[in-house]
């Protein structure tokens, strides 16, 4: 199971839109996908999927077996819902966070991909979820505050968890050229001041069709596969699958399990 986190410094940049569409796209490509709604306390991936979870992370924390708390979304695609308006969930301690990840690690052989949607910002649980991912995908938009907040998140992840590699997704830009320019500006600043490596992952253009689909609780990759946003997200998923086919090795599987069980560094 390859763990991909989708994160940002600032809210409203498109994390949940991208995670939910990526999940459907990967599942359509025959991959077994588990989505973990890690936007703890404010979880809403279920809304995007149009499902009504009977159980969520809260039940797992109260001792229910994880398998019984998953919500089937489509063929090859399940959701571990995060629970909304649950104060306790956004104040998990380090032990509880590790416990959740240990439960999820038990799913290692049942799924090809674990996609984690996170809260925005610098909360400990956001940092921890990103630190266990094989690939941390940070979303930036042309909004200047998304730029500075993404920089802050990467800086803290580097300082606290020694994370060094990040993938950047440019969302809500006018076109691919504008996305590449945005990436270059960001990479220029970030790599100048931090000893990290950035990887330009994808541009997802601003697409009114996607906005409309989201409002209607329909996923754009299902609704209009030819739209610019759906094409970008499908392309992103195809690239992820082909890259993983090239690099996947037994060593990697062992490594990802090891990371999940390793205590988080830093304070609780
Ligand atoms: N590429 C895009 N084109 C148009 N609207 C988008 C795009 N990505 C996200 N949005 C819109 O931006 C808003 C925030 O998206 P959301 O996925 O909820 O962000 P986050 O999870 O980061 O808070 C929503 O109204 C969504 O429809
Ligand atoms: Mg969200």
């Amino acid at each position: 199971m390859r763990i991909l986190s989708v994160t940002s410094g600032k809210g409203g940049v498109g994390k949940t839109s991208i995670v939910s569409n990526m999940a459907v796209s990967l599942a359509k490509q025959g991959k077994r996908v588990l989505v973990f709604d890690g936007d703890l306390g404010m979880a809403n991936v279920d809304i995007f999927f149009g499902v009504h979870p009977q159980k969520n992370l809260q039940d797992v924390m109260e001792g229910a077996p994880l398998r019984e708390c998953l919500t089937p979304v489509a063929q090859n695609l399940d959701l571990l819902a995060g629970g909304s308006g649950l104060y306790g969930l956004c104040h998990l301690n380090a032990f509880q966070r590790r416990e959740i990840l240990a439960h999820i690690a038990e799913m290692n052989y049942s799924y090809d991909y674990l996609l984690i949607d996170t809260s925005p910002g610098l909360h400990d649980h956001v940092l921890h979820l990103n630190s266990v991912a094989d690939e941390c995908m940070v979303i930036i938009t042309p909004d200047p505050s998304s730029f500075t907040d993404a920089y802050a998140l990467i800086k803290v992840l580097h300082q606290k968890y020694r994370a060094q590699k990040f993938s950047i997704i440019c969302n809500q830009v006018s076109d691919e050229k504008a996305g590449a320019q945005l990436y270059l500006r960001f990479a220029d600043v970030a790599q100048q001041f931090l000893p990290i490596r950035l990887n330009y992952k994808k541009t997802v253009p601003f697409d009114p069709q996607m906005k409309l689909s989201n409002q209607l609780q329909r996923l754009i990759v299902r609704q209009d596969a030819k739209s610019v946003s759906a094409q970008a997200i499908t392309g992103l998923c195809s690239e992820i699958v082909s890259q993983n086919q090239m690099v996947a090795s037994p060593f990697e599987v062992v490594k990802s399990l090891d990371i999940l069980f390793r205590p988080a560094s830093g304070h609780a």
Side-chain angles (χ1 to χ4, degrees):
M1 181 170 75
R2 196 159 173 84
I3 307 173
L4 311 176
S5 67
V6 176
T7 194
S8 67
K10 180 184 179 299
V13 295
K15 291 179 297 300
T16 311
S17 307
I18 289 180
V19 165
S20 49
N21 281 289
M22 276 180 75
V24 168
S25 174
L26 285 167
K28 273 204 209 161
Q29 294 182 36
K31 300 295 165 192
R32 298 163 304 162
V33 183
L34 174 61
V35 174
F36 171 31
D37 194 342
D39 191 350
L40 303 180
M42 304 280 253
N44 62 355
V45 180
D46 52 324
I47 312 277
F48 280 70
F49 283 143
V51 294
H52 304 281
Q54 301 298 311
K55 293 211 162 94
N56 60 38
L57 188 61
Q58 180 81 24
D59 299 281
V60 180
M61 298 308 298
E62 286 167 8
L66 178 65
R67 218 168 264 284
E68 288 172 19
C69 299
L70 301 180
T71 305
V73 176
Q75 195 180 3
N76 292 334
L77 172 55
D78 294 325
L79 168 68
L80 173 57
S84 188
L86 298 167
Y87 181 78
L89 277 186
C90 47
H91 294 88
L92 298 177
N93 60 37
F95 175 77
Q96 291 170 311
R97 289 197 301 267
R98 283 204 291 277
E99 201 184 325
I100 295 171
L101 290 167
H103 283 300
I104 293 178
E106 288 165 20
M107 294 292 174
N108 197 39
Y109 295 103
S110 306
Y111 297 96
D112 299 304
Y113 290 95
L114 168 65
L115 297 186
I116 307 179
D117 187 17
T118 74
S119 316
L122 304 177
H123 297 290
D124 275 320
H125 68 259
V126 180
L127 300 175
H128 190 196
L129 288 176
N130 283 320
S131 75
V132 299
D134 296 302
E135 183 168 0
C136 175
M137 300 194 275
V138 181
I139 300 189
I140 59 174
T141 72
D143 188 331
S145 58
S146 113
F147 208 89
T148 50
D149 295 354
Y151 179 84
L153 174 66
I154 288 175
K155 182 177 170 190
V156 175
L157 272 166
H158 173 69
Q159 288 175 341
K160 201 167 168 210
Y161 288 92
R162 295 185 295 279
Q164 279 172 335
K165 271 171 64 184
F166 300 88
S167 295
I168 304 294
I169 297 178
C170 300
N171 190 27
Q172 305 195 40
V173 289
S174 50
D175 55 22
E176 207 159 340
K177 190 169 165 221
Q181 283 168 346
L182 181 69
Y183 169 76
L184 286 176
R185 269 199 293 133
F186 185 75
D188 212 32
V189 176
Q191 293 181 148
Q192 188 180 342
F193 294 105
L194 299 171
I196 51 158
R197 259 195 302 146
L198 299 183
N199 161 37
Y200 170 64
K201 197 74 183 170
K202 200 74 186 173
T203 284
V204 182
F206 180 85
D207 181 2
Q209 290 303 113
M210 187 191 213
K211 190 140 197 120
L212 188 65
S213 283
N214 282 347
Q215 280 163 2
L216 299 172
Q217 271 184 281
R218 297 196 184 124
L219 294 175
I220 192 72
V221 291
R222 282 186 183 141
Q223 187 71 6
D224 184 359
K226 290 202 162 58
S227 62
V228 282
S229 54
Q231 280 187 357
I233 292 171
T234 308
L236 167 65
C237 292
S238 304
E239 284 159 25
I240 287 172
V241 169
S242 57
Q243 276 161 11
N244 295 164
Q245 273 161 356
M246 282 193 285
V247 299
S249 68
F251 171 73
E252 283 230 328
V253 174
V254 172
K255 195 185 76 185
S256 63
L257 272 173
D258 174 54
I259 290 170
L260 278 182
F261 285 113
R262 193 184 303 155
S265 60
H267 63 79

